[in-house]
Amino acid sequence: MPDQLLTIETTRLDAGNVRLRLTGELDYDSAPKLIAAAAELRGDDVARVLVDLTGVTLCDSSGLSALLVVHRAAGAVRLTGVSPQLQRMLDRTGLSELLAEAYADDDVRAIG
């Protein structure tokens, strides 16, 4: 059942950009799935990872930890579609500057 809590759609964009579109719950049970998706990107010529959280309905501390693992694995990571609740968590934990710097709308359109 945990696999059904989170779906991850990986889209390879131009110039080494990759978008991970998450849908569902990013929590203790599903965080390993995100970590595995990030691990699959290692060794690829990935310049930036755009993590689209528009479809995420819940994110707990394990989800935040998984986002940090993605950041460490991929380097340049940007989040988009961050809900107000998740933004507050990122702000309170000090992760906003590291993870929540969303691309400008024009940048998102440009990379997919």
Side-chain angles (χ1 to χ4, degrees), residues 87-103:
Q87 186 62 56
R88 281 194 298 277
M89 283 180 61
L90 292 166
D91 291 342
R92 288 180 180 157
T93 58
L95 297 175
S96 291
E97 292 179 22
L98 183 64
L99 297 176
E101 295 294 325
Y103 292 111

Side-chain angles (χ1 to χ4, degrees), residues 17-101:
N17 296 308
V18 174
R19 178 179 51 227
L20 299 176
R21 180 173 287 147
L22 282 56
T23 304
E25 298 178 0
L26 182 55
D27 60 9
Y28 178 81
D29 292 323
S30 62
K33 187 171 183 176
L34 178 57
I35 292 168
E40 289 179 14
L41 298 177
R42 281 192 202 126
D44 290 351
D45 190 24
V46 175
R48 291 189 290 189
V49 176
L50 175 67
V51 181
D52 182 354
L53 299 168
T54 304
V56 172
T57 56
L58 174 122
C59 182
D60 68 5
S61 60
S62 297
L64 289 179
S65 178
L67 291 171
L68 278 172
V69 170
V70 172
H71 170 72
R72 289 184 183 136
V77 172
R78 295 291 180 258
L79 305 182
T80 187
V82 177
S83 71
Q85 294 84 2
L86 179 53
Q87 186 62 56
R88 281 194 298 277
M89 283 180 61
L90 292 166
D91 291 342
R92 288 180 180 157
T93 58
L95 297 175
S96 291
E97 292 179 22
L98 183 64
L99 297 176
E101 295 294 325

